[in-house]
Amino acid sequence: MQKEIRFVTADEAVKVVKSGDHIHFSSVASAPKVLIDALCRRGDAGELKDVKIHHLHTEGAAPYTDEKYEGIFFHQAFFVGGNVRKNVQAGYADYIPIFLSETQKLYRSGVLPCDVAMIQVSTPDKHGYVSLGTSVDATLAAIECARCVIAVVNKNVPRAWGDAMIPVSMIDMFVEDNNLLEPAHFSEPDEIETAIGKNCAALIEDGATLQMGIGAIPNAVLAQLGNHKNLGIHTEMFADGVLPLVEKGVINGAAKTIDKGKMVSTFLMGSQQCYDFIDDNPMVLMKDVGYTNDPFIIAKNPKVTAINSALQVDLTGQVCADSLGTKFYSGVGGQIDFVYGASMSEGGKAIIAMPSVTKKGISKIAPVLTPGAGVVTTRNHIHWFVTEYGAVNLYGKSLQERAKLMISIAHPEYREELDRAAFERFGPHFHFVAK
């Protein structure tokens, strides 16, 4: 017998939140905006204090991190997105460093309580199921562990398959809101990003299973793959860049060992076209992040090619991807999950790709990392390193060999300076002729 669904207002729903509670928000495009606004109204009324808020990256506004809510809400998210970055750096919000694969484990192990899960779902089907749509990630674990689950039922949430499908019996309260999901906007790749895309694409073999992050570089890579064959997707997220390759039959998952023929992801971040693509699409499996980002599951597919970016890399191959010195910029995310998984995959390739210089023209390849910078991918994990000037494989290379290889694809204006720094570090036996 199906559970009867009774809708309440957002303001009525958030009354279940008590001072001291831990709340989970569904992430990215699925952030439950109507509940967030209602929760902030309770904060404005002085009804709450010391409420901790957890989530992955969310799109849209994050007013609960504002200075005025100090002592009322305290954001402790698993990733620092652009909408909370300023307040995290100012100390009004915070960040929990964690591998993306283990975010679900925080809840399931009891390390992190979850009192109230606020999620967004599709309209119920005739079997009494709703879909989490564009974001499963750690939200499924939060639903399983929460004292109370509040779901925003939204006709614009796509009916995604896989772990996204949950019975309405797992939900305690229902709120209706039919606003469009928050889209993500990506700029077109510039000349440098296009060159990086070409260098990465040259490393991708037919039959590879792909993981790549967000932004212009992944889109530049995908734009170069039109003549490839039998590519697969096993990733933490994908966006619009994969759609033309699916339409052409380039991405078909035919060479995958597990989830053959399926595109596996844990969240999406793209346009409405991307969200429409997964609606009732059996080719797409939206899975728990404990599955998508498990390095040992990732490694089961052959030729896993993982492409991730960095903020700074030193001459020994230490990769900083989460901070600018002491200021946190993003988070660990799934980079090391996929770097390790790809490196264990038969024929796999783990790639770190970035422009050689910042927008201000400062070299992103540095003699040493900026003081306070966090090492996400260690010098022991790094394999391929790519800039617009080429691709080098650092795996199995000594420190001096690595330095020479990295300087060879640094910006030409900085090669002599980096050469001098390496000479000072490694002594007179180091010799690289900057070009």
Side-chain angles (χ1 to χ4, degrees), residues 18-308:
K18 298 181 292 188
S19 292
D21 275 356
H22 288 252
I23 299 175
H24 176 87
F25 293 156
S26 53
S27 62
V28 197
S30 286
K33 185 178 184 301
V34 66
L35 296 178
I36 292 170
D37 291 343
L39 190 66
C40 287
R41 285 194 288 273
R42 285 199 67 194
D44 292 332
E47 298 176 2
L48 295 168
K49 62 180 181 180
D50 194 30
V51 173
K52 294 182 174 62
I53 294 174
H54 312 289
H55 54 71
L56 275 72
H57 165 66
T58 59
E59 289 290 295
Y64 46 87
T65 66
D66 290 349
E67 178 182 355
K68 72 173 183 175
Y69 291 116
E70 188 171 11
I72 299 172
F73 303 124
F74 193 40
H75 161 283
Q76 295 176 315
F78 312 139
F79 192 85
V80 182
N83 58 348
V84 301
R85 188 172 295 135
K86 179 180 176 181
N87 287 329
V88 168
Q89 292 176 354
Y92 295 113
D94 209 354
Y95 159 62
I96 298 175
I98 186 80
F99 294 127
L100 193 58
S101 59
E102 294 186 4
T103 54
Q104 48 78 33
K105 187 178 178 181
L106 290 176
Y107 291 132
R108 290 179 172 135
S109 68
V111 168
L112 197 64
C114 184
D115 297 295
V116 182
M118 298 185 181
I119 66 175
Q120 190 160 212
V121 300
S122 68
T123 53
D125 64 20
K126 63 182 180 181
H127 302 293
Y129 278 76
V130 293
S131 176
L132 296 172
T134 59
S135 292
V136 178
D137 45 73
T139 296
L140 184 59
I143 292 167
E144 294 169 359
C145 300
R147 178 187 80 235
C148 179
V149 179
I150 308 171
V152 176
V153 178
N154 186 334
K155 67 181 182 181
N156 295 304
V157 172
R159 187 173 176 269
W161 290 39
D163 293 337
M165 283 291 183
I166 62 169
V168 295
S169 59
M170 296 182 76
I171 300 168
D172 299 296
M173 303 177 75
F174 298 86
V175 174
E176 186 173 18
D177 180 67
N178 290 317
N179 282 311
L180 291 173
L181 299 187
E182 196 76 34
H185 304 286
F186 305 112
S187 60
E188 286 295 314
D190 60 22
E191 185 178 350
I192 291 174
E193 291 157 345
T194 298
I196 295 169
K198 289 179 179 178
N199 290 336
C200 289
L203 298 175
I204 298 173
E205 302 175 45
D206 289 342
T209 297
L210 304 180
Q211 175 267 335
M212 52 189 68
I214 57 178
I217 290 176
N219 287 340
V221 176
L222 291 165
Q224 305 295 324
L225 301 179
N227 293 320
H228 278 62
K229 296 180 176 63
N230 299 326
L231 298 180
I233 298 290
H234 183 112
T235 185
E236 64 196 34
M237 65 81 59
F238 66 80
D240 295 63
V242 304
L243 304 188
L245 297 176
V246 175
E247 292 170 7
K248 289 184 67 174
V250 172
I251 292 176
N252 57 25
K256 294 177 73 177
T257 300
I258 59 168
D259 302 316
K260 199 177 186 71
K262 307 292 185 182
M263 298 171 62
V264 174
S265 186
T266 197
F267 68 88
L268 300 184
M269 191 172 168
S271 70
Q272 187 62 45
Q273 183 183 3
C274 185
Y275 305 152
D276 291 342
F277 170 74
I278 71 165
D279 184 46
D280 211 20
N281 186 346
M283 184 183 184
V284 179
L285 291 182
M286 298 297 292
K287 299 288 285 183
D288 188 290
V289 72
Y291 180 87
T292 60
N293 284 55
D294 183 330
F296 296 95
I297 290 174
I298 293 165
K300 289 183 178 180
N301 279 312
K303 298 181 181 178
V304 173
T305 305
I307 302 173
N308 289 277

